[in-house]
Amino acid sequence: MRRALLLIFIFIISAAGSLSFGQSIAEPDTLNDNILYLKEKAGSAIFHSAGWGLGYRFGRNMNYFNKKMFEIDIVEMKSPKEVKRVNPNFANSRRYVYGKLNNLYLMRFGYGAQKLLNDKPYWGGIEVRFFYYGGLDVGLAKPVYLLIANYTKVGEQIFYDLTTEKYDPQVHFPYRVIGPTRDVDIYGKAPITKGFGEIKPYPGMYAKLGFSFEYGTLNQSLRAIEVGAILDAFPKAVPLMAFNDPYHFFVNVYLSFSFGKRYN
């Protein structure tokens, strides 16, 4: 997914450069419905190279060429080392990521600007804007819980019961472990609700830049595709995977689809 998004990012940047020669920046009175709306708000679905999420923006058109916007993003963040697996010893086992210590969710609170590069012709088309945002980041790390099979031997038969346990890389392995006190095996991932009471925050900062391509036919209705790159930085490293160094930085490319409206 990371490679596909990167190719899309490079392609659209190239397209933006060629569009600058094919369209000129028009005056405000050439807008589709001849109204410059001052306020704007939009929601978006975000797909980035380490997960997905949702976003919301609101702000003002300072003039025909420039916007000032606030934004809130909530996205998941995965490690590139993650590989899902199933335990073949159980017919109905659940998929899990071996070695994953925490599920990480990022909440971004930022402010930024958009600048018009190419306006939309009166008959329709695509409006291109360059944007940048930055602000506070809060990483929420929720510990991973697993369903563990505990084996018991009765005569010649072996039975097991399931318990829910926080993943411990020193205790839980992707195969049956016969120990002095109990025989255990990873059955699969525990319900997502486990571990919410142990969420640990990691404050940080982020920066985002890219291009917005608006294709809506009316200025009052916002429809746009956005591509960009994001840097999330945390002074205290976030542990995601056992046997790997924790992360101070996450660098990703993303693609988003936005829907909203403008009004006065």
Side-chain angles (χ1 to χ4, degrees):
M1 184 176 182
R2 183 189 297 266
R3 181 176 296 177
L5 287 173
L6 182 58
L7 291 174
I8 292 172
F9 184 51
I10 293 173
F11 171 77
I12 297 182
I13 288 176
S14 301
S18 63
L19 279 171
S20 63
F21 295 98
Q23 292 180 325
S24 61
I25 297 179
E27 294 303 317
D29 60 1
T30 64
L31 294 174
N32 302 39
D33 45 14
N34 296 316
I35 298 175
L36 176 61
Y37 295 98
L38 297 180
K39 299 178 182 179
E40 182 178 306
K41 60 183 178 180
S44 61
I46 304 167
F47 302 92
H48 64 98
S49 46
W52 70 281
L54 299 173
Y56 178 73
R57 283 185 186 152
F58 62 96
R60 295 180 64 86
N61 289 296
M62 308 306 293
N63 52 50
Y64 179 58
F65 307 102
N66 298 288
K67 300 180 185 180
K68 300 292 185 181
M69 306 289 289
F70 293 91
E71 70 171 4
I72 302 172
D73 289 348
I74 301 176
V75 299
E76 68 173 345
M77 189 65 65
K78 297 179 180 180
S79 167
K81 302 293 182 66
E82 292 187 19
V83 177
K84 289 188 176 181
R85 61 189 304 165
V86 294
N87 192 328
N89 295 329
F90 305 98
N92 299 313
S93 62
R94 304 181 62 178
R95 297 177 71 189
Y96 71 99
V97 177
Y98 177 65
K100 188 168 185 175
L101 294 169
N102 292 292
N103 293 302
L104 180 62
Y105 306 93
L106 303 185
M107 297 183 66
R108 304 186 183 111
F109 305 89
Y111 179 75
Q114 296 187 16
K115 182 175 179 60
L116 182 68
L117 298 182
N118 297 278
D119 73 318
K120 190 186 306 179
Y122 70 89
W123 61 84
I126 297 176
E127 178 180 280
V128 182
R129 289 179 180 266
F130 171 75
F131 64 81
Y132 57 88
Y133 291 89
L136 299 178
D137 228 338
V138 179
L140 302 175
K142 183 177 77 70
V144 170
Y145 275 76
L146 299 173
L147 293 174
I148 304 299
N150 299 273
Y151 293 95
T152 303
K153 188 173 183 179
V154 179
E156 295 300 320
Q157 292 186 313
I158 297 177
F159 302 90
Y160 70 87
D161 63 284
L162 296 178
T163 58
T164 302
E165 302 177 19
K166 184 191 294 188
Y167 169 65
D168 184 341
Q170 304 303 319
V171 175
H172 304 128
F173 299 92
Y175 47 81
R176 184 178 177 186
V177 176
I178 300 176
T181 57
R182 63 172 184 162
D183 301 352
V184 298
D185 203 352
I186 296 178
Y187 183 86
K189 184 179 180 181
I192 193 172
T193 54
K194 299 297 295 184
F196 272 109
E198 303 172 62
I199 288 177
K200 185 176 181 180
Y202 288 83
M205 302 188 73
Y206 82 96
K208 176 193 298 185
L209 58 84
F211 294 91
S212 173
F213 300 84
E214 186 185 336
Y215 57 88
T217 56
L218 294 176
N219 288 312
Q220 191 173 8
S221 178
L222 189 152
R223 302 286 186 272
I225 297 174
E226 186 173 295
V227 293
I230 310 174
L231 168 66
D232 297 281
F234 298 92
K236 185 176 181 181
V238 185
L240 287 187
M241 301 293 294
F243 320 115
N244 287 274
D245 293 334
Y247 291 84
H248 279 287
F249 303 98
F250 298 93
V251 181
N252 291 286
V253 294
Y254 78 95
L255 173 70
S256 73
F257 300 89
S258 300
F259 303 89
K261 69 176 185 178
R262 298 186 179 94
Y263 57 99
N264 287 323

